[in-house]
Amino acid sequence: MVQMGFFDLSDRYASLDAKRDPLVEIDALVPWEEFRPVLERVWRKPTAARKSRAGRKPMDAVVMFKTLVLGALYNLSDDQIEYQVRDRLSFMRFLGLGLADRVPDAKTVWLYREGLAQAGVVEALFQQFDGYLARQGYIARGGQILDASIVPVPRNHNTRDENRAIKAGEEPEGWADKPAMRRQKDTDARWTKKHGKSHFGYKNHVNVDRQHKLVRRYHVSDAALHDSQAVDLLLTRGNTGASVWADAAYRSEEMEAKLRAWGLKSRIHRKGKRGKPLSEQGKASNRTKSTIRVRVEHVFGAQANDMGGTLVRTIGLVRAKAKIGMKNLAYNMRRLVQLRRLTPCPA
């Protein structure tokens, strides 16, 4: 086998550039160093807490953060992240690694994400990037669109008695004697039904602005939480538009009163009632609202199709929040590239 030379590697990168490697644009537009202070508070022990300076130095905090972004952009498991970084030149270049540099292994990736999850800083990183978007001119404009998407996790095969105990906040009988099995059981995820089908997992509740189609706020819950119950955590007064779009699941007198109290205008779909179906005028109004509301479906579609799906492989709500939060953050980074192509100089 012929050894790859320096110019061979340069030629390979040039061919990637010719194909418009999306990671190059993301790397150029995202202010990675602005995240460093928050990341290093989680990733590095304080000097006083270190036993000695001996041993191998930890991976750079920003490199590890970018590794998690790769995992979110392509929905990779930790083992696949390690393999793909070793295998793909585009991933190595995105992380700023050369062929001879150390690559984050799967265990290190897991430990780093676990640190961010337990510290609860992913949402702070998301908000920090949202502030950067605003400084670049991409403030929330045109109104708010609310929706939620089910995020599946591997299903638990429990008995009815076990599920009843879990819902009651108790540990099912016999689980304490089986710690290995217990570690594989996600007792935070819940079942829900949508369009007649059962789903197990969590929900990604989002607020997307109409003009830029960026996720402005999000909330992660178990799948059983009704969409309308997360509204207080999603609504914002920072949008230049007063209108709020959502599907009929959000419609209620309480919701209408809440929006009026916030000075917001309801564009929520109307729904028929038993014995009183929706009129033709109501159906026409819903169709008009759908032309705007559908923009939030584009966000979920991008995450499900263009970003490798939304399956969460972790156990527990704390870790699910970190994974889903990183997915929303990675989507906004990807969307920024698209917006720059469409509107290089936003007003």
Side-chain angles (χ1 to χ4, degrees), residues 56-88:
R56 189 168 65 171
K57 297 297 182 288
M59 296 289 294
D60 181 77
V62 173
V63 170
M64 291 306 305
F65 178 58
K66 292 171 79 172
T67 303
L68 296 189
V69 170
L70 281 176
L73 284 170
Y74 298 96
N75 199 30
L76 302 173
S77 67
D78 295 342
D79 287 322
Q80 273 295 306
I81 289 174
E82 178 184 353
Y83 175 81
Q84 295 292 349
V85 171
R86 293 183 185 279
D87 185 62
R88 296 174 67 167

PDB file of all heavy atoms in Angstrom, residues 56-88:
ATOM      1  N   ARG A  56      -1.799  11.524  31.143  1.00  0.00           N
ATOM      2  CA  ARG A  56      -2.158  12.063  29.839  1.00  0.00           C
ATOM      3  C   ARG A  56      -3.122  13.232  30.004  1.00  0.00           C
ATOM      4  O   ARG A  56      -4.051  13.184  30.792  1.00  0.00           O
ATOM      5  CB  ARG A  56      -2.802  10.970  28.990  1.00  0.00           C
ATOM      6  CG  ARG A  56      -3.008  11.359  27.540  1.00  0.00           C
ATOM      7  CD  ARG A  56      -3.382  10.166  26.686  1.00  0.00           C
ATOM      8  NE  ARG A  56      -4.661   9.597  27.060  1.00  0.00           N
ATOM      9  CZ  ARG A  56      -5.283   8.654  26.352  1.00  0.00           C
ATOM     10  NH1 ARG A  56      -4.711   8.163  25.266  1.00  0.00           N
ATOM     11  NH2 ARG A  56      -6.450   8.179  26.749  1.00  0.00           N
ATOM     12  N   LYS A  57      -2.874  14.285  29.248  1.00  0.00           N
ATOM     13  CA  LYS A  57      -3.707  15.480  29.324  1.00  0.00           C
ATOM     14  C   LYS A  57      -5.081  15.214  28.704  1.00  0.00           C
ATOM     15  O   LYS A  57      -5.199  14.461  27.729  1.00  0.00           O
ATOM     16  CB  LYS A  57      -3.027  16.647  28.603  1.00  0.00           C
ATOM     17  CG  LYS A  57      -1.698  17.060  29.224  1.00  0.00           C
ATOM     18  CD  LYS A  57      -1.905  17.568  30.645  1.00  0.00           C
ATOM     19  CE  LYS A  57      -0.587  18.041  31.268  1.00  0.00           C
ATOM     20  NZ  LYS A  57       0.310  16.925  31.603  1.00  0.00           N
ATOM     21  N   PRO A  58      -6.124  15.821  29.259  1.00  0.00           N
ATOM     22  CA  PRO A  58      -7.470  15.614  28.697  1.00  0.00           C
ATOM     23  C   PRO A  58      -7.591  16.228  27.309  1.00  0.00           C
ATOM     24  O   PRO A  58      -6.857  17.150  26.956  1.00  0.00           O
ATOM     25  CB  PRO A  58      -8.378  16.318  29.698  1.00  0.00           C
ATOM     26  CG  PRO A  58      -7.508  17.344  30.354  1.00  0.00           C
ATOM     27  CD  PRO A  58      -6.148  16.734  30.412  1.00  0.00           C
ATOM     28  N   MET A  59      -8.542  15.707  26.538  1.00  0.00           N
ATOM     29  CA  MET A  59      -8.816  16.261  25.218  1.00  0.00           C
ATOM     30  C   MET A  59      -9.298  17.700  25.373  1.00  0.00           C
ATOM     31  O   MET A  59      -9.918  18.065  26.371  1.00  0.00           O
ATOM     32  CB  MET A  59      -9.886  15.436  24.500  1.00  0.00           C
ATOM     33  CG  MET A  59      -9.506  14.008  24.190  1.00  0.00           C
ATOM     34  SD  MET A  59      -8.265  13.848  22.887  1.00  0.00           S
ATOM     35  CE  MET A  59      -9.152  14.459  21.466  1.00  0.00           C
ATOM     36  N   ASP A  60      -9.017  18.516  24.371  1.00  0.00           N
ATOM     37  CA  ASP A  60      -9.438  19.908  24.383  1.00  0.00           C
ATOM     38  C   ASP A  60     -10.965  19.991  24.485  1.00  0.00           C
ATOM     39  O   ASP A  60     -11.692  19.253  23.798  1.00  0.00           O
ATOM     40  CB  ASP A  60      -8.964  20.608  23.111  1.00  0.00           C
ATOM     41  CG  ASP A  60      -9.362  22.067  23.082  1.00  0.00           C
ATOM     42  OD1 ASP A  60      -8.712  22.877  23.766  1.00  0.00           O
ATOM     43  OD2 ASP A  60     -10.349  22.385  22.385  1.00  0.00           O
ATOM     44  N   ALA A  61     -11.465  20.895  25.336  1.00  0.00           N
ATOM     45  CA  ALA A  61     -12.903  20.999  25.590  1.00  0.00           C
ATOM     46  C   ALA A  61     -13.688  21.353  24.332  1.00  0.00           C
ATOM     47  O   ALA A  61     -14.781  20.822  24.099  1.00  0.00           O
ATOM     48  CB  ALA A  61     -13.163  22.038  26.681  1.00  0.00           C
ATOM     49  N   VAL A  62     -13.162  22.246  23.499  1.00  0.00           N
ATOM     50  CA  VAL A  62     -13.873  22.641  22.282  1.00  0.00           C
ATOM     51  C   VAL A  62     -13.874  21.496  21.274  1.00  0.00           C
ATOM     52  O   VAL A  62     -14.881  21.265  20.589  1.00  0.00           O
ATOM     53  CB  VAL A  62     -13.250  23.914  21.674  1.00  0.00           C
ATOM     54  CG1 VAL A  62     -13.868  24.224  20.315  1.00  0.00           C
ATOM     55  CG2 VAL A  62     -13.449  25.101  22.611  1.00  0.00           C
ATOM     56  N   VAL A  63     -12.789  20.755  21.189  1.00  0.00           N
ATOM     57  CA  VAL A  63     -12.743  19.590  20.295  1.00  0.00           C
ATOM     58  C   VAL A  63     -13.799  18.573  20.714  1.00  0.00           C
ATOM     59  O   VAL A  63     -14.511  18.007  19.872  1.00  0.00           O
ATOM     60  CB  VAL A  63     -11.340  18.936  20.295  1.00  0.00           C
ATOM     61  CG1 VAL A  63     -11.363  17.595  19.561  1.00  0.00           C
ATOM     62  CG2 VAL A  63     -10.325  19.869  19.639  1.00  0.00           C
ATOM     63  N   MET A  64     -13.923  18.336  22.022  1.00  0.00           N
ATOM     64  CA  MET A  64     -14.933  17.391  22.501  1.00  0.00           C
ATOM     65  C   MET A  64     -16.343  17.903  22.217  1.00  0.00           C
ATOM     66  O   MET A  64     -17.237  17.133  21.841  1.00  0.00           O
ATOM     67  CB  MET A  64     -14.748  17.155  24.000  1.00  0.00           C
ATOM     68  CG  MET A  64     -13.481  16.392  24.364  1.00  0.00           C
ATOM     69  SD  MET A  64     -13.325  14.817  23.487  1.00  0.00           S
ATOM     70  CE  MET A  64     -14.855  14.014  23.897  1.00  0.00           C
ATOM     71  N   PHE A  65     -16.566  19.201  22.379  1.00  0.00           N
ATOM     72  CA  PHE A  65     -17.876  19.781  22.080  1.00  0.00           C
ATOM     73  C   PHE A  65     -18.200  19.618  20.595  1.00  0.00           C
ATOM     74  O   PHE A  65     -19.328  19.240  20.240  1.00  0.00           O
ATOM     75  CB  PHE A  65     -17.879  21.254  22.478  1.00  0.00           C
ATOM     76  CG  PHE A  65     -19.176  21.959  22.178  1.00  0.00           C
ATOM     77  CD1 PHE A  65     -20.371  21.515  22.701  1.00  0.00           C
ATOM     78  CD2 PHE A  65     -19.187  23.087  21.367  1.00  0.00           C
ATOM     79  CE1 PHE A  65     -21.565  22.177  22.440  1.00  0.00           C
ATOM     80  CE2 PHE A  65     -20.374  23.749  21.092  1.00  0.00           C
ATOM     81  CZ  PHE A  65     -21.562  23.294  21.627  1.00  0.00           C
ATOM     82  N   LYS A  66     -17.242  19.871  19.736  1.00  0.00           N
ATOM     83  CA  LYS A  66     -17.463  19.701  18.299  1.00  0.00           C
ATOM     84  C   LYS A  66     -17.726  18.235  17.953  1.00  0.00           C
ATOM     85  O   LYS A  66     -18.460  17.930  17.015  1.00  0.00           O
ATOM     86  CB  LYS A  66     -16.260  20.243  17.517  1.00  0.00           C
ATOM     87  CG  LYS A  66     -16.119  21.751  17.619  1.00  0.00           C
ATOM     88  CD  LYS A  66     -14.817  22.250  17.018  1.00  0.00           C
ATOM     89  CE  LYS A  66     -14.877  22.314  15.520  1.00  0.00           C
ATOM     90  NZ  LYS A  66     -13.684  22.979  14.954  1.00  0.00           N
ATOM     91  N   THR A  67     -17.121  17.324  18.727  1.00  0.00           N
ATOM     92  CA  THR A  67     -17.380  15.900  18.527  1.00  0.00           C
ATOM     93  C   THR A  67     -18.846  15.582  18.814  1.00  0.00           C
ATOM     94  O   THR A  67     -19.483  14.823  18.074  1.00  0.00           O
ATOM     95  CB  THR A  67     -16.472  15.057  19.449  1.00  0.00           C
ATOM     96  OG1 THR A  67     -15.106  15.378  19.193  1.00  0.00           O
ATOM     97  CG2 THR A  67     -16.686  13.576  19.204  1.00  0.00           C
ATOM     98  N   LEU A  68     -19.401  16.174  19.868  1.00  0.00           N
ATOM     99  CA  LEU A  68     -20.821  15.980  20.174  1.00  0.00           C
ATOM    100  C   LEU A  68     -21.707  16.603  19.094  1.00  0.00           C
ATOM    101  O   LEU A  68     -22.778  16.074  18.784  1.00  0.00           O
ATOM    102  CB  LEU A  68     -21.163  16.575  21.536  1.00  0.00           C
ATOM    103  CG  LEU A  68     -20.500  15.952  22.759  1.00  0.00           C
ATOM    104  CD1 LEU A  68     -21.113  16.525  24.032  1.00  0.00           C
ATOM    105  CD2 LEU A  68     -20.613  14.437  22.758  1.00  0.00           C
ATOM    106  N   VAL A  69     -21.283  17.727  18.542  1.00  0.00           N
ATOM    107  CA  VAL A  69     -22.032  18.351  17.450  1.00  0.00           C
ATOM    108  C   VAL A  69     -22.079  17.403  16.246  1.00  0.00           C
ATOM    109  O   VAL A  69     -23.130  17.245  15.611  1.00  0.00           O
ATOM    110  CB  VAL A  69     -21.421  19.710  17.063  1.00  0.00           C
ATOM    111  CG1 VAL A  69     -22.046  20.248  15.777  1.00  0.00           C
ATOM    112  CG2 VAL A  69     -21.602  20.720  18.193  1.00  0.00           C
ATOM    113  N   LEU A  70     -20.956  16.757  15.948  1.00  0.00           N
ATOM    114  CA  LEU A  70     -20.941  15.765  14.858  1.00  0.00           C
ATOM    115  C   LEU A  70     -21.938  14.649  15.136  1.00  0.00           C
ATOM    116  O   LEU A  70     -22.683  14.228  14.244  1.00  0.00           O
ATOM    117  CB  LEU A  70     -19.540  15.176  14.704  1.00  0.00           C
ATOM    118  CG  LEU A  70     -18.494  16.003  13.966  1.00  0.00           C
ATOM    119  CD1 LEU A  70     -17.145  15.294  13.997  1.00  0.00           C
ATOM    120  CD2 LEU A  70     -18.913  16.268  12.520  1.00  0.00           C
ATOM    121  N   GLY A  71     -21.932  14.154  16.376  1.00  0.00           N
ATOM    122  CA  GLY A  71     -22.873  13.099  16.724  1.00  0.00           C
ATOM    123  C   GLY A  71     -24.311  13.536  16.544  1.00  0.00           C
ATOM    124  O   GLY A  71     -25.158  12.757  16.096  1.00  0.00           O
ATOM    125  N   ALA A  72     -24.622  14.802  16.870  1.00  0.00           N
ATOM    126  CA  ALA A  72     -25.982  15.319  16.715  1.00  0.00           C
ATOM    127  C   ALA A  72     -26.334  15.564  15.256  1.00  0.00           C
ATOM    128  O   ALA A  72     -27.474  15.338  14.834  1.00  0.00           O
ATOM    129  CB  ALA A  72     -26.142  16.612  17.520  1.00  0.00           C
ATOM    130  N   LEU A  73     -25.369  16.024  14.469  1.00  0.00           N
ATOM    131  CA  LEU A  73     -25.631  16.307  13.050  1.00  0.00           C
ATOM    132  C   LEU A  73     -25.935  15.035  12.265  1.00  0.00           C
ATOM    133  O   LEU A  73     -26.704  15.069  11.290  1.00  0.00           O
ATOM    134  CB  LEU A  73     -24.415  16.998  12.423  1.00  0.00           C
ATOM    135  CG  LEU A  73     -24.220  18.477  12.757  1.00  0.00           C
ATOM    136  CD1 LEU A  73     -22.855  18.943  12.273  1.00  0.00           C
ATOM    137  CD2 LEU A  73     -25.318  19.331  12.134  1.00  0.00           C
ATOM    138  N   TYR A  74     -25.349  13.911  12.688  1.00  0.00           N
ATOM    139  CA  TYR A  74     -25.506  12.663  11.934  1.00  0.00           C
ATOM    140  C   TYR A  74     -26.137  11.541  12.764  1.00  0.00           C
ATOM    141  O   TYR A  74     -26.205  10.413  12.306  1.00  0.00           O
ATOM    142  CB  TYR A  74     -24.149  12.224  11.388  1.00  0.00           C
ATOM    143  CG  TYR A  74     -23.550  13.220  10.428  1.00  0.00           C
ATOM    144  CD1 TYR A  74     -22.632  14.173  10.869  1.00  0.00           C
ATOM    145  CD2 TYR A  74     -23.926  13.240   9.092  1.00  0.00           C
ATOM    146  CE1 TYR A  74     -22.093  15.108   9.994  1.00  0.00           C
ATOM    147  CE2 TYR A  74     -23.396  14.171   8.207  1.00  0.00           C
ATOM    148  CZ  TYR A  74     -22.476  15.103   8.667  1.00  0.00           C
ATOM    149  OH  TYR A  74     -21.942  16.034   7.800  1.00  0.00           O
ATOM    150  N   ASN A  75     -26.592  11.856  13.981  1.00  0.00           N
ATOM    151  CA  ASN A  75     -27.229  10.888  14.879  1.00  0.00           C
ATOM    152  C   ASN A  75     -26.379   9.624  15.044  1.00  0.00           C
ATOM    153  O   ASN A  75     -26.833   8.510  14.803  1.00  0.00           O
ATOM    154  CB  ASN A  75     -28.631  10.516  14.387  1.00  0.00           C
ATOM    155  CG  ASN A  75     -29.466   9.906  15.500  1.00  0.00           C
ATOM    156  OD1 ASN A  75     -29.285  10.226  16.669  1.00  0.00           O
ATOM    157  ND2 ASN A  75     -30.366   9.004  15.140  1.00  0.00           N
ATOM    158  N   LEU A  76     -25.151   9.802  15.484  1.00  0.00           N
ATOM    159  CA  LEU A  76     -24.214   8.707  15.640  1.00  0.00           C
ATOM    160  C   LEU A  76     -24.141   8.246  17.083  1.00  0.00           C
ATOM    161  O   LEU A  76     -24.203   9.055  18.009  1.00  0.00           O
ATOM    162  CB  LEU A  76     -22.817   9.143  15.188  1.00  0.00           C
ATOM    163  CG  LEU A  76     -22.675   9.637  13.751  1.00  0.00           C
ATOM    164  CD1 LEU A  76     -21.281  10.198  13.520  1.00  0.00           C
ATOM    165  CD2 LEU A  76     -22.972   8.517  12.759  1.00  0.00           C
ATOM    166  N   SER A  77     -24.001   6.948  17.284  1.00  0.00           N
ATOM    167  CA  SER A  77     -23.707   6.423  18.612  1.00  0.00           C
ATOM    168  C   SER A  77     -22.274   6.796  18.979  1.00  0.00           C
ATOM    169  O   SER A  77     -21.484   7.219  18.121  1.00  0.00           O
ATOM    170  CB  SER A  77     -23.875   4.906  18.639  1.00  0.00           C
ATOM    171  OG  SER A  77     -22.873   4.287  17.823  1.00  0.00           O
ATOM    172  N   ASP A  78     -21.902   6.634  20.234  1.00  0.00           N
ATOM    173  CA  ASP A  78     -20.551   6.991  20.660  1.00  0.00           C
ATOM    174  C   ASP A  78     -19.499   6.151  19.940  1.00  0.00           C
ATOM    175  O   ASP A  78     -18.446   6.657  19.546  1.00  0.00           O
ATOM    176  CB  ASP A  78     -20.416   6.827  22.179  1.00  0.00           C
ATOM    177  CG  ASP A  78     -21.311   7.791  22.939  1.00  0.00           C
ATOM    178  OD1 ASP A  78     -21.760   8.782  22.322  1.00  0.00           O
ATOM    179  OD2 ASP A  78     -21.560   7.559  24.128  1.00  0.00           O
ATOM    180  N   ASP A  79     -19.791   4.865  19.762  1.00  0.00           N
ATOM    181  CA  ASP A  79     -18.853   4.004  19.025  1.00  0.00           C
ATOM    182  C   ASP A  79     -18.721   4.448  17.581  1.00  0.00           C
ATOM    183  O   ASP A  79     -17.628   4.440  17.008  1.00  0.00           O
ATOM    184  CB  ASP A  79     -19.308   2.543  19.083  1.00  0.00           C
ATOM    185  CG  ASP A  79     -19.083   1.918  20.453  1.00  0.00           C
ATOM    186  OD1 ASP A  79     -18.045   2.227  21.084  1.00  0.00           O
ATOM    187  OD2 ASP A  79     -19.940   1.141  20.898  1.00  0.00           O
ATOM    188  N   GLN A  80     -19.846   4.843  16.985  1.00  0.00           N
ATOM    189  CA  GLN A  80     -19.797   5.306  15.597  1.00  0.00           C
ATOM    190  C   GLN A  80     -19.086   6.646  15.465  1.00  0.00           C
ATOM    191  O   GLN A  80     -18.421   6.898  14.462  1.00  0.00           O
ATOM    192  CB  GLN A  80     -21.213   5.404  15.037  1.00  0.00           C
ATOM    193  CG  GLN A  80     -21.735   4.112  14.443  1.00  0.00           C
ATOM    194  CD  GLN A  80     -20.941   3.699  13.210  1.00  0.00           C
ATOM    195  OE1 GLN A  80     -20.784   4.463  12.260  1.00  0.00           O
ATOM    196  NE2 GLN A  80     -20.427   2.475  13.229  1.00  0.00           N
ATOM    197  N   ILE A  81     -19.215   7.501  16.473  1.00  0.00           N
ATOM    198  CA  ILE A  81     -18.486   8.770  16.435  1.00  0.00           C
ATOM    199  C   ILE A  81     -16.984   8.494  16.360  1.00  0.00           C
ATOM    200  O   ILE A  81     -16.275   9.067  15.518  1.00  0.00           O
ATOM    201  CB  ILE A  81     -18.810   9.628  17.674  1.00  0.00           C
ATOM    202  CG1 ILE A  81     -20.239  10.164  17.598  1.00  0.00           C
ATOM    203  CG2 ILE A  81     -17.836  10.802  17.784  1.00  0.00           C
ATOM    204  CD1 ILE A  81     -20.687  10.904  18.840  1.00  0.00           C
ATOM    205  N   GLU A  82     -16.502   7.617  17.242  1.00  0.00           N
ATOM    206  CA  GLU A  82     -15.070   7.291  17.227  1.00  0.00           C
ATOM    207  C   GLU A  82     -14.660   6.713  15.880  1.00  0.00           C
ATOM    208  O   GLU A  82     -13.654   7.124  15.287  1.00  0.00           O
ATOM    209  CB  GLU A  82     -14.749   6.290  18.339  1.00  0.00           C
ATOM    210  CG  GLU A  82     -13.280   5.876  18.343  1.00  0.00           C
ATOM    211  CD  GLU A  82     -12.951   4.816  19.380  1.00  0.00           C
ATOM    212  OE1 GLU A  82     -13.827   4.484  20.205  1.00  0.00           O
ATOM    213  OE2 GLU A  82     -11.797   4.323  19.361  1.00  0.00           O
ATOM    214  N   TYR A  83     -15.454   5.774  15.368  1.00  0.00           N
ATOM    215  CA  TYR A  83     -15.108   5.127  14.093  1.00  0.00           C
ATOM    216  C   TYR A  83     -15.118   6.125  12.940  1.00  0.00           C
ATOM    217  O   TYR A  83     -14.185   6.159  12.114  1.00  0.00           O
ATOM    218  CB  TYR A  83     -16.088   3.988  13.807  1.00  0.00           C
ATOM    219  CG  TYR A  83     -15.867   3.347  12.456  1.00  0.00           C
ATOM    220  CD1 TYR A  83     -14.879   2.394  12.268  1.00  0.00           C
ATOM    221  CD2 TYR A  83     -16.648   3.723  11.360  1.00  0.00           C
ATOM    222  CE1 TYR A  83     -14.666   1.820  11.024  1.00  0.00           C
ATOM    223  CE2 TYR A  83     -16.444   3.157  10.115  1.00  0.00           C
ATOM    224  CZ  TYR A  83     -15.458   2.205   9.949  1.00  0.00           C
ATOM    225  OH  TYR A  83     -15.250   1.654   8.717  1.00  0.00           O
ATOM    226  N   GLN A  84     -16.156   6.945  12.873  1.00  0.00           N
ATOM    227  CA  GLN A  84     -16.287   7.874  11.748  1.00  0.00           C
ATOM    228  C   GLN A  84     -15.217   8.959  11.782  1.00  0.00           C
ATOM    229  O   GLN A  84     -14.740   9.401  10.728  1.00  0.00           O
ATOM    230  CB  GLN A  84     -17.678   8.506  11.744  1.00  0.00           C
ATOM    231  CG  GLN A  84     -18.824   7.534  11.488  1.00  0.00           C
ATOM    232  CD  GLN A  84     -18.826   6.987  10.075  1.00  0.00           C
ATOM    233  OE1 GLN A  84     -18.105   7.450   9.199  1.00  0.00           O
ATOM    234  NE2 GLN A  84     -19.630   5.965   9.845  1.00  0.00           N
ATOM    235  N   VAL A  85     -14.836   9.414  12.972  1.00  0.00           N
ATOM    236  CA  VAL A  85     -13.763  10.415  13.056  1.00  0.00           C
ATOM    237  C   VAL A  85     -12.452   9.808  12.549  1.00  0.00           C
ATOM    238  O   VAL A  85     -11.666  10.474  11.859  1.00  0.00           O
ATOM    239  CB  VAL A  85     -13.609  10.938  14.493  1.00  0.00           C
ATOM    240  CG1 VAL A  85     -12.359  11.813  14.621  1.00  0.00           C
ATOM    241  CG2 VAL A  85     -14.843  11.751  14.889  1.00  0.00           C
ATOM    242  N   ARG A  86     -12.207   8.557  12.897  1.00  0.00           N
ATOM    243  CA  ARG A  86     -10.994   7.885  12.408  1.00  0.00           C
ATOM    244  C   ARG A  86     -11.045   7.655  10.904  1.00  0.00           C
ATOM    245  O   ARG A  86     -10.020   7.683  10.221  1.00  0.00           O
ATOM    246  CB  ARG A  86     -10.810   6.539  13.113  1.00  0.00           C
ATOM    247  CG  ARG A  86     -10.498   6.638  14.601  1.00  0.00           C
ATOM    248  CD  ARG A  86     -10.270   5.262  15.209  1.00  0.00           C
ATOM    249  NE  ARG A  86     -10.081   5.331  16.651  1.00  0.00           N
ATOM    250  CZ  ARG A  86      -8.934   5.650  17.234  1.00  0.00           C
ATOM    251  NH1 ARG A  86      -7.870   5.918  16.499  1.00  0.00           N
ATOM    252  NH2 ARG A  86      -8.850   5.686  18.555  1.00  0.00           N
ATOM    253  N   ASP A  87     -12.243   7.440  10.388  1.00  0.00           N
ATOM    254  CA  ASP A  87     -12.396   7.005   8.999  1.00  0.00           C
ATOM    255  C   ASP A  87     -12.582   8.151   8.011  1.00  0.00           C
ATOM    256  O   ASP A  87     -12.166   8.045   6.852  1.00  0.00           O
ATOM    257  CB  ASP A  87     -13.607   6.058   8.904  1.00  0.00           C
ATOM    258  CG  ASP A  87     -13.772   5.449   7.527  1.00  0.00           C
ATOM    259  OD1 ASP A  87     -12.848   4.728   7.092  1.00  0.00           O
ATOM    260  OD2 ASP A  87     -14.810   5.696   6.888  1.00  0.00           O
ATOM    261  N   ARG A  88     -13.178   9.274   8.439  1.00  0.00           N
ATOM    262  CA  ARG A  88     -13.577  10.309   7.490  1.00  0.00           C
ATOM    263  C   ARG A  88     -12.698  11.550   7.627  1.00  0.00           C
ATOM    264  O   ARG A  88     -12.583  12.147   8.701  1.00  0.00           O
ATOM    265  CB  ARG A  88     -15.049  10.681   7.725  1.00  0.00           C
ATOM    266  CG  ARG A  88     -15.983   9.528   7.464  1.00  0.00           C
ATOM    267  CD  ARG A  88     -17.418   9.829   7.832  1.00  0.00           C
ATOM    268  NE  ARG A  88     -18.027  10.848   6.989  1.00  0.00           N
ATOM    269  CZ  ARG A  88     -19.333  11.099   6.963  1.00  0.00           C
ATOM    270  NH1 ARG A  88     -20.153  10.399   7.714  1.00  0.00           N
ATOM    271  NH2 ARG A  88     -19.808  12.043   6.188  1.00  0.00           N
TER     272      ARG A  88
END
